[in-house]
Amino acid sequence: MPIATVNPANGETLKTYEAMGEEELERRLQLAMATFRTYRTSAFAERARLLNRAADLLDEDQRDIARVMTTEMGKPVKQARAEAAKCAKAMRWYAERAEELLADERPAEADVKDSGASRALVRYRPMGPVLAVMPWNFPLWQVVRFAAPALMAGNVGLLKHASNVPQTALYLEDLFHRAGFPEGCFQTLLIGSGAVDEILRDERVKAATLTGSEPAGRSVAATSGEMIKKTVLELGGSDPFVVMPSADIDRAARVAVTARVQNNGQSCIAAKRFVVHSDVYDEFAERFTEGMKALKVGDPSEEDTEVGPLASEQGRADLEELVDDAKRSGATVLCGGERPDWPGWYYPPTVLAGVSREMRIHREEAFGPVATLYRAADLDEAVLIANDSPFGLSSNVWTRDEAEVDRFVRDLEAGGVFVNGMTASHPALPFGGVKRSGYGRELSGHGIREFCNITTVWHGA
C-alpha cells in the first residue's frame, strides 16, 4: 500500500511519500536509544511541563489538524475537532497524574518483615523505545492514548502509522518537537507494514503496542513472542447493544444511532449488534431505523454532515460483501444496503434484521455504518447472543433493573460494560478487550504501567 493522502470523498490522491530507507531507519533507532538513556532520568515535573505544552499547541492547531484528518480518512470535521480536543485533555490528565500513578508502592510492614527485609518497595521504571503500530480511524487519538502515558513514564516512542494518514503522522512528530521534547523522544517512521517485523526484531525496541486488525495483531504478537517482548493489542470489536423492556426506548434508540455511526461507523468500540428483548423489539427497531434513515450523508468537510465516506475503496468493498452475503442468506434490509451513485467511498447507514449465525456479518466485524438487529426472548438469550462473537471489546446494556445490570456485568464477555449509555474511552478508565479483541489495557493507571519494568527493591535487615 503506498504511503499517500487519498481523499476518500472523491478518490483524489493529494500527496505521496517515499518510505524511509534502511539508513534513515537505523539513524532513528540509534537516536531513540540514545535519547532514552537520558530522558529516562528526567523529572516528572519536566515531562509534565512538556506534555502540557504539547496540549496547548494541539488546542491552537485544532482546526487545521481537524481538516487534515478529514481530508485523509473522511471523518466529519466536527468529529475531527472533537478528537483533537480529546487528545489535549488526555495529555493534561497524564501530565497531572503520572507521578502519582507511578509512585513507589510499599508493602505492609508485616509482610516486609516476613520477607526478611528491613524495608522493601515496588518501583515502576521505563522500559525503553516502544513501537506503536496505529490505525487510521482515530489518527490522533489512537496515538496520543499511547504516547501521553509512555512519555510520562520515561519511555520514548516510535510510531508506525497507517499508510493513508501520513500527514497526521508527521504532524504528531512535529507537535512533540515543538513542545520541546528532546529530539528522539517521539519519531514517526514512514514505512510500509512489511518493515514492521524487522523493527520488532531489533534489540533496541523493547516493546510494542498495536491497534488494528486481528491479522495485524497476530503478526506483531508472533514476532514479539519470538523475541520475548511485551505487547498490548487492541484489535477488532463487534460490540453488543442490549435493550431490555425497562429501558427508556426512545433514548436508547437515539443513542444507538450515534453509537453505530460515530466516525462513519469505523470504530472498534462502535455498537454493531443490537440485541433487543421481544417485548420492545418492534418499537426499538422502528425508532432506530428512522434515526438511521434521517442521518445526513455527505461531504465530511461540511459542518452539518453526520456520516462521511469510508476511509478506503477496499473498506467499502469489504462492507458491501458482508451486507450482500447477509441479503443472500435471508436478512431483511430495513434501510440502506446499496451504495450511492456518486463519487467517493460512501456507504449509507444500513439496518439488517433477521441475521442468523450462518451469515458472515454475524461472525465478522462490520467496519462501517451497518447495524444488525437480533430479537431475544429473555435475559438469558440476550446474554447468549451478546457473547456469541469471537470479539469481546466492550458492550452496552440498557435497563433500569439493577438485578439485570448485575447479571450483565457478571456474564458479558467484554472489556467494558456501559449501562444506559454508549461506549466511550476516557483517560481515567482502562480500555481494552478479551477474546480476539486483544489483551492488555490502555489509559488510566493500568495503561501507563503496561510499559514499565515493575521492579522489586529489597533491603536486608
Side-chain angles (χ1 to χ4, degrees):
M1 180 178 182
I3 301 174
T5 296
V6 181
N7 187 343
N10 55 27
E12 180 183 358
T13 299
L14 302 176
K15 286 189 177 183
T16 58
Y17 297 83
E18 290 292 327
M20 291 177 176
E22 290 188 10
E23 186 176 328
E24 177 61 11
L25 282 175
E26 173 60 24
R27 185 189 73 80
R28 287 175 176 257
L29 287 168
Q30 288 183 13
L31 178 60
M33 197 65 223
T35 300
F36 172 69
R37 292 190 184 101
T38 54
Y39 182 70
R40 64 188 295 274
T41 64
S42 61
F44 279 107
E46 173 62 8
R47 298 174 199 166
R49 183 187 69 80
L50 296 173
L51 195 58
N52 277 320
R53 177 57 180 154
D56 292 342
L57 290 171
L58 182 52
D59 280 340
E60 294 172 10
D61 297 342
Q62 184 185 112
R63 299 190 73 85
D64 290 339
I65 189 56
R67 283 193 293 268
V68 171
M69 287 191 284
T70 295
T71 300
E72 289 201 305
M73 53 71 59
K75 186 189 305 289
V77 70
K78 287 173 65 175
Q79 295 180 30
R81 290 198 299 270
E83 181 175 336
K86 184 175 184 176
C87 289
K89 176 181 178 179
M91 289 177 179
R92 294 188 178 102
W93 192 91
Y94 273 110
E96 179 181 345
R97 293 171 175 81
E99 185 171 10
E100 177 185 354
L101 293 171
L102 297 179
D104 290 349
E105 294 180 8
R106 300 184 183 277
E109 190 61 32
D111 291 330
V112 173
K113 290 181 179 178
D114 190 56
S115 76
S118 60
R119 54 195 171 100
L121 58 87
V122 177
R123 178 160 295 173
Y124 295 96
R125 298 188 294 157
M127 297 179 70
V130 180
L131 174 66
V133 182
M134 294 288 111
W136 47 261
N137 57 335
F138 291 93
L140 274 187
W141 173 240
Q142 304 280 14
V143 178
V144 167
R145 75 185 192 192
F146 145 74
L151 290 170
M152 283 305 302
N155 294 306
V156 301
L158 296 165
L159 170 64
K160 189 284 181 220
H161 217 325
S163 294
N164 60 330
V165 290
Q167 293 185 66
T168 305
L170 292 170
Y171 167 81
L172 284 158
E173 179 179 84
D174 182 62
L175 174 68
F176 290 114
H177 174 75
R178 286 186 290 135
F181 280 92
E183 186 182 6
C185 267
F186 185 93
Q187 300 182 80
T188 287
L189 308 180
L190 285 184
I191 56 175
S193 57
V196 170
D197 187 77
E198 181 180 352
I199 294 170
L200 279 174
R201 293 180 183 279
D202 194 294
E203 292 292 343
R204 291 166 292 192
V205 175
K206 303 303 181 183
T209 178
L210 177 141
T211 299
S213 69
E214 186 181 335
R218 289 180 184 276
S219 176
V220 165
T223 298
S224 298
E226 184 181 341
M227 301 302 295
I228 322 293
K229 292 183 180 182
K230 175 70 177 291
T231 54
V232 170
L233 302 181
E234 192 264 281
L235 308 178
S238 191
D239 292 1
F241 189 106
V242 182
V243 182
M244 299 298 287
S246 66
D248 180 336
I249 302 303
D250 181 65
R251 181 166 172 260
R254 284 187 280 109
V255 173
V257 172
T258 303
R260 183 63 206 100
V261 303
Q262 59 175 316
N263 204 45
N264 304 337
Q266 299 166 123
S267 171
C268 296
I269 57 170
K272 298 182 176 77
R273 297 177 297 126
F274 296 81
V275 183
V276 187
H277 192 284
S278 294
D279 291 353
V280 291
Y281 178 91
D282 291 339
E283 181 183 1
F284 176 87
E286 180 180 358
R287 295 187 183 191
F288 178 54
T289 302
E290 287 175 354
M292 293 284 277
K293 285 180 180 178
L295 292 166
K296 180 180 178 182
V297 181
D299 186 344
S301 66
E302 294 181 359
E303 291 291 327
D304 60 347
T305 292
E306 295 169 295
V307 179
L310 299 190
S312 70
E313 190 172 16
Q314 184 60 54
R316 183 175 66 174
D318 292 343
L319 189 66
E320 282 183 306
E321 285 184 13
L322 291 181
V323 173
D324 290 345
D325 172 78
K327 289 191 293 186
R328 286 192 300 270
S329 300
T332 302
V333 180
L334 301 185
C335 70
E338 297 289 342
R339 73 157 75 175
D341 186 21
W342 65 65
W345 302 318
Y346 292 89
Y347 198 82
T350 298
V351 179
L352 301 176
V355 174
S356 64
R357 298 187 79 249
E358 294 71 30
M359 298 174 187
R360 288 178 54 201
I361 201 165
H362 177 78
R363 306 184 305 274
E364 300 177 29
E365 181 179 21
F367 218 57
V370 176
T372 53
L373 279 173
Y374 297 80
R375 187 189 298 265
D378 52 27
L379 186 148
D380 289 337
E381 187 175 18
V383 170
L384 286 173
I385 296 171
N387 287 340
D388 188 22
S389 170
F391 301 107
L393 193 52
S394 189
S395 61
N396 309 258
V397 174
W398 287 76
T399 176
R400 287 182 277 204
D401 183 324
E402 285 302 316
E404 289 181 348
V405 171
D406 291 343
R407 173 73 186 281
F408 283 120
V409 171
R410 186 192 75 181
D411 290 347
L412 288 179
E413 298 168 350
V417 180
F418 284 69
V419 181
N420 297 328
M422 61 179 273
T423 298
S425 53
H426 185 280
L429 300 173
F431 181 86
V434 296
K435 301 196 286 189
R436 292 187 185 177
S437 288
Y439 53 75
R441 291 297 180 265
E442 297 177 287
L443 302 176
S444 76
H446 297 278
I448 197 171
R449 298 183 194 110
E450 285 282 8
F451 295 118
C452 287
N453 177 356
I454 304 172
T455 308
T456 296
V457 182
W458 186 94
H459 294 262

